[in-house]
Amino acid sequence: MTEERRAELARRLEAVRERIAEACAAAGRDPDEVTLLAVTKTVPAADVATLLDLGVDAFGENRAQEAATKVIEVAQLRPGAGPRWHFVGGLQRNKVRVVAPWTRVESVDSVRLADALAAAVRRAVDDGTRAGPLPVLLQYSVDGDPKRGGVPDAGLLELADHVEGCPDLRLDGLMAVAPLGADPDAAFTAIADAAARLRAAHPAATELSAGMSGDLDVAIRHGSTSVRVGTALVGERRITSR
Protein backbone atom coordinates (compact mmCIF):
# COMPACT_ATOMS: atom_id res chain seq x y z
CA MET A 1 0.00 0.00 0.00
CA THR A 2 1.56 3.28 -1.13
CA GLU A 3 0.99 6.56 0.67
CA GLU A 4 -0.48 7.88 -2.57
CA ARG A 5 -3.13 5.14 -2.65
CA ARG A 6 -3.91 5.62 1.04
CA ALA A 7 -4.39 9.35 0.48
CA GLU A 8 -6.62 8.64 -2.53
CA LEU A 9 -8.84 6.29 -0.53
CA ALA A 10 -9.06 8.81 2.30
CA ARG A 11 -10.14 11.56 -0.12
CA ARG A 12 -12.71 9.37 -1.78
CA LEU A 13 -14.08 8.17 1.54
CA GLU A 14 -14.47 11.73 2.79
CA ALA A 15 -16.34 12.69 -0.39
CA VAL A 16 -18.69 9.68 -0.11
CA ARG A 17 -19.40 10.42 3.54
CA GLU A 18 -20.17 14.02 2.66
CA ARG A 19 -22.61 12.86 -0.04
CA ILE A 20 -24.35 10.59 2.44
CA ALA A 21 -24.54 13.36 5.03
CA GLU A 22 -25.93 15.85 2.49
CA ALA A 23 -28.50 13.34 1.20
CA CYS A 24 -29.60 12.58 4.76
CA ALA A 25 -29.88 16.28 5.59
CA ALA A 26 -32.02 16.86 2.50
CA ALA A 27 -34.26 13.94 3.49
CA GLY A 28 -34.46 14.95 7.16
CA ARG A 29 -32.66 11.79 8.24
CA ASP A 30 -29.83 11.07 10.66
CA PRO A 31 -26.66 9.94 8.79
CA ASP A 32 -26.20 7.28 11.47
CA GLU A 33 -29.28 5.58 9.96
CA VAL A 34 -27.35 4.79 6.76
CA THR A 35 -24.54 2.24 6.61
CA LEU A 36 -21.77 2.67 4.06
CA LEU A 37 -21.08 -0.73 2.51
CA ALA A 38 -17.78 -0.56 0.62
CA VAL A 39 -17.98 -2.78 -2.46
CA THR A 40 -14.48 -4.20 -2.79
CA LYS A 41 -14.81 -6.84 -5.50
CA THR A 42 -11.52 -7.20 -7.45
CA VAL A 43 -9.89 -4.76 -5.02
CA PRO A 44 -6.81 -6.02 -3.13
CA ALA A 45 -6.92 -6.94 0.54
CA ALA A 46 -4.49 -4.10 1.24
CA ASP A 47 -7.16 -1.58 0.18
CA VAL A 48 -9.68 -3.22 2.50
CA ALA A 49 -7.17 -3.04 5.35
CA THR A 50 -6.65 0.66 4.69
CA LEU A 51 -10.38 1.34 4.60
CA LEU A 52 -10.64 -0.46 7.95
CA ASP A 53 -7.96 1.90 9.29
CA LEU A 54 -10.04 4.82 8.00
CA GLY A 55 -13.14 3.66 9.87
CA VAL A 56 -15.07 1.60 7.30
CA ASP A 57 -16.20 -1.72 8.75
CA ALA A 58 -18.66 -3.20 6.21
CA PHE A 59 -17.54 -4.65 2.89
CA GLY A 60 -19.44 -6.14 -0.04
CA GLU A 61 -18.15 -8.87 -2.35
CA ASN A 62 -19.81 -10.65 -5.26
CA ARG A 63 -17.41 -13.42 -6.26
CA ALA A 64 -17.46 -16.25 -3.75
CA GLN A 65 -13.98 -17.69 -4.21
CA GLU A 66 -12.25 -14.32 -4.46
CA ALA A 67 -14.10 -13.13 -1.39
CA ALA A 68 -13.21 -16.20 0.68
CA THR A 69 -9.54 -15.65 -0.08
CA LYS A 70 -9.79 -11.96 0.72
CA VAL A 71 -11.45 -12.63 4.07
CA ILE A 72 -8.38 -14.65 5.08
CA GLU A 73 -5.93 -12.07 3.71
CA VAL A 74 -7.61 -9.18 5.54
CA ALA A 75 -7.68 -11.16 8.79
CA GLN A 76 -3.93 -11.63 8.45
CA LEU A 77 -3.33 -7.95 7.68
CA ARG A 78 -5.60 -6.64 10.45
CA PRO A 79 -5.97 -9.31 13.16
CA GLY A 80 -8.92 -8.65 15.43
CA ALA A 81 -10.37 -5.84 13.27
CA GLY A 82 -13.65 -7.71 12.77
CA PRO A 83 -14.86 -6.42 9.38
CA ARG A 84 -18.45 -7.27 8.46
CA TRP A 85 -18.58 -9.09 5.14
CA HIS A 86 -21.64 -9.02 2.88
CA PHE A 87 -22.19 -11.07 -0.26
CA VAL A 88 -24.02 -8.79 -2.67
CA GLY A 89 -23.90 -10.57 -6.04
CA GLY A 90 -25.74 -13.44 -7.62
CA LEU A 91 -24.91 -16.62 -5.73
CA GLN A 92 -24.85 -20.07 -7.29
CA ARG A 93 -26.07 -22.88 -5.10
CA ASN A 94 -22.80 -24.78 -5.53
CA LYS A 95 -20.96 -21.84 -3.90
CA VAL A 96 -23.04 -21.55 -0.73
CA ARG A 97 -20.58 -23.56 1.35
CA VAL A 98 -17.87 -21.02 0.51
CA VAL A 99 -19.79 -18.03 1.87
CA ALA A 100 -21.84 -19.56 4.70
CA PRO A 101 -19.17 -19.32 7.43
CA TRP A 102 -18.25 -15.64 7.09
CA THR A 103 -20.85 -13.45 5.43
CA ARG A 104 -24.30 -11.96 5.26
CA VAL A 105 -26.03 -12.73 1.95
CA GLU A 106 -27.98 -9.88 0.36
CA SER A 107 -29.07 -11.68 -2.80
CA VAL A 108 -31.52 -14.41 -1.80
CA ASP A 109 -34.05 -14.56 -4.62
CA SER A 110 -35.43 -18.10 -4.63
CA VAL A 111 -36.61 -20.89 -2.35
CA ARG A 112 -33.94 -23.20 -3.80
CA LEU A 113 -31.15 -20.77 -2.91
CA ALA A 114 -32.59 -20.21 0.56
CA ASP A 115 -32.73 -23.95 1.19
CA ALA A 116 -29.17 -24.45 -0.07
CA LEU A 117 -27.92 -21.65 2.19
CA ALA A 118 -29.79 -23.03 5.18
CA ALA A 119 -28.22 -26.46 4.68
CA ALA A 120 -24.74 -24.93 4.32
CA VAL A 121 -25.21 -22.84 7.45
CA ARG A 122 -26.32 -25.91 9.39
CA ARG A 123 -23.11 -27.67 8.37
CA ALA A 124 -21.03 -24.61 9.25
CA VAL A 125 -22.60 -24.42 12.70
CA ASP A 126 -22.05 -28.14 13.24
CA ASP A 127 -18.38 -27.94 12.30
CA GLY A 128 -17.77 -24.80 14.35
CA THR A 129 -17.06 -22.35 11.51
CA ARG A 130 -20.23 -20.36 12.20
CA ALA A 131 -21.82 -19.43 15.52
CA GLY A 132 -25.47 -19.00 14.54
CA PRO A 133 -28.07 -18.26 11.86
CA LEU A 134 -27.07 -16.48 8.64
CA PRO A 135 -28.57 -13.01 8.18
CA VAL A 136 -30.02 -12.58 4.70
CA LEU A 137 -31.76 -9.97 2.59
CA LEU A 138 -34.19 -10.79 -0.19
CA GLN A 139 -33.12 -9.42 -3.56
CA TYR A 140 -36.13 -7.69 -5.09
CA SER A 141 -36.57 -7.29 -8.84
CA VAL A 142 -38.05 -3.92 -9.71
CA ASP A 143 -38.96 -4.84 -13.29
CA GLY A 144 -39.28 -8.62 -12.99
CA ASP A 145 -36.49 -9.29 -15.52
CA PRO A 146 -35.09 -12.76 -14.62
CA LYS A 147 -31.78 -12.00 -16.35
CA ARG A 148 -30.89 -9.50 -13.61
CA GLY A 149 -31.84 -11.68 -10.67
CA GLY A 150 -34.20 -10.88 -7.87
CA VAL A 151 -37.59 -12.12 -6.81
CA PRO A 152 -40.47 -10.49 -8.70
CA ASP A 153 -43.13 -8.59 -6.85
CA ALA A 154 -45.68 -11.40 -6.94
CA GLY A 155 -43.32 -13.81 -5.19
CA LEU A 156 -41.79 -11.51 -2.59
CA LEU A 157 -43.92 -12.33 0.45
CA GLU A 158 -44.05 -16.04 -0.35
CA LEU A 159 -40.25 -16.15 -0.39
CA ALA A 160 -40.12 -14.10 2.81
CA ASP A 161 -42.44 -16.56 4.55
CA HIS A 162 -40.22 -19.44 3.45
CA VAL A 163 -37.01 -17.78 4.68
CA GLU A 164 -38.68 -16.89 7.96
CA GLY A 165 -39.44 -20.58 8.39
CA CYS A 166 -35.76 -21.59 8.03
CA PRO A 167 -34.24 -21.70 11.52
CA ASP A 168 -30.72 -21.40 10.09
CA LEU A 169 -31.53 -18.13 8.30
CA ARG A 170 -32.49 -14.71 9.69
CA LEU A 171 -34.55 -12.42 7.50
CA ASP A 172 -33.16 -8.89 7.90
CA GLY A 173 -34.78 -7.03 5.01
CA LEU A 174 -34.61 -6.22 1.32
CA MET A 175 -31.94 -5.49 -1.27
CA ALA A 176 -32.59 -4.02 -4.71
CA VAL A 177 -30.86 -2.44 -7.68
CA ALA A 178 -32.53 0.25 -9.75
CA PRO A 179 -32.62 -0.97 -13.39
CA LEU A 180 -30.31 0.82 -15.80
CA GLY A 181 -32.15 3.51 -17.70
CA ALA A 182 -35.11 3.56 -15.33
CA ASP A 183 -36.35 6.78 -13.75
CA PRO A 184 -34.54 6.74 -10.36
CA ASP A 185 -37.44 8.20 -8.37
CA ALA A 186 -39.90 5.71 -9.84
CA ALA A 187 -37.54 2.80 -9.27
CA PHE A 188 -36.78 3.69 -5.66
CA THR A 189 -40.43 4.40 -4.94
CA ALA A 190 -41.20 0.84 -6.06
CA ILE A 191 -38.34 -0.48 -3.94
CA ALA A 192 -39.50 1.45 -0.88
CA ASP A 193 -43.05 0.16 -1.35
CA ALA A 194 -41.80 -3.43 -1.53
CA ALA A 195 -39.70 -2.90 1.61
CA ALA A 196 -42.73 -1.52 3.43
CA ARG A 197 -44.83 -4.53 2.47
CA LEU A 198 -42.07 -6.85 3.64
CA ARG A 199 -41.84 -5.06 7.00
CA ALA A 200 -45.60 -5.18 7.44
CA ALA A 201 -45.54 -8.95 7.06
CA HIS A 202 -42.22 -9.49 8.86
CA PRO A 203 -41.61 -6.61 11.31
CA ALA A 204 -38.00 -7.60 12.05
CA ALA A 205 -37.04 -7.21 8.36
CA THR A 206 -36.21 -3.52 8.69
CA GLU A 207 -33.11 -3.16 6.51
CA LEU A 208 -33.16 -1.75 3.00
CA SER A 209 -29.95 -2.10 1.01
CA ALA A 210 -30.44 0.18 -1.99
CA GLY A 211 -28.39 2.77 -3.81
CA MET A 212 -24.91 2.70 -5.32
CA SER A 213 -22.31 5.23 -6.43
CA GLY A 214 -24.55 6.83 -9.06
CA ASP A 215 -27.86 6.94 -7.22
CA LEU A 216 -27.23 6.73 -3.48
CA ASP A 217 -28.71 10.21 -2.95
CA VAL A 218 -32.08 9.16 -4.41
CA ALA A 219 -32.00 5.87 -2.51
CA ILE A 220 -31.46 7.65 0.80
CA ARG A 221 -34.39 9.94 0.04
CA HIS A 222 -36.52 6.83 -0.34
CA GLY A 223 -35.44 5.23 2.93
CA SER A 224 -32.34 3.18 2.17
CA THR A 225 -30.50 2.05 5.32
CA SER A 226 -27.41 0.77 3.48
CA VAL A 227 -25.72 2.10 0.33
CA ARG A 228 -23.34 -0.11 -1.64
CA VAL A 229 -20.52 2.08 -2.95
CA GLY A 230 -17.74 0.78 -5.15
CA THR A 231 -16.49 3.09 -7.91
CA ALA A 232 -16.92 6.35 -5.98
CA LEU A 233 -14.94 4.89 -3.10
CA VAL A 234 -12.19 2.77 -4.66
CA GLY A 235 -12.11 4.19 -8.19
CA GLU A 236 -12.06 2.39 -11.52
CA ARG A 237 -8.81 0.66 -10.58
CA ARG A 238 -9.40 -3.08 -10.64
CA ILE A 239 -6.52 -5.41 -9.75
CA THR A 240 -6.24 -8.87 -8.30
CA SER A 241 -6.45 -9.56 -4.59
CA ARG A 242 -2.86 -10.73 -4.28
Side-chain angles (χ1 to χ4, degrees), residues 41-42 61-69 87-90 98-99 102:
K41 61 183 180 181
T42 71
E61 294 283 332
N62 74 347
R63 299 175 181 175
Q65 207 61 54
E66 175 197 337
T69 300
F87 194 85
V88 298
V98 177
V99 305
W102 52 265

Side-chain angles (χ1 to χ4, degrees), residues 101-175:
W102 52 265
T103 189
R104 173 170 99 169
V105 175
E106 298 199 358
S107 50
V108 175
D109 61 359
S110 71
V111 167
R112 293 178 71 191
L113 178 56
D115 287 345
L117 276 169
V121 171
R122 196 173 310 118
R123 288 190 292 268
V125 170
D126 288 345
D127 66 23
T129 57
R130 184 170 193 96
L134 176 75
V136 302
L137 302 184
L138 305 186
Q139 182 178 350
Y140 174 67
S141 173
V142 178
D143 58 6
D145 185 345
K147 295 179 182 178
R148 285 196 284 268
V151 59
D153 197 74
L156 177 64
L157 295 185
E158 181 179 354
L159 178 58
D161 291 344
H162 183 84
V163 170
E164 189 71 35
C166 295
D168 295 292
L169 304 179
R170 188 185 78 211
L171 179 60
D172 280 358
L174 194 78
M175 183 272 270

Side-chain angles (χ1 to χ4, degrees), residues 196-220:
R197 283 185 280 112
L198 178 62
R199 286 193 302 272
H202 298 276
T206 58
E207 297 191 38
L208 175 55
S209 176
M212 299 185 291
S213 293
D215 55 18
L216 67 85
D217 318 81
V218 185
I220 288 171

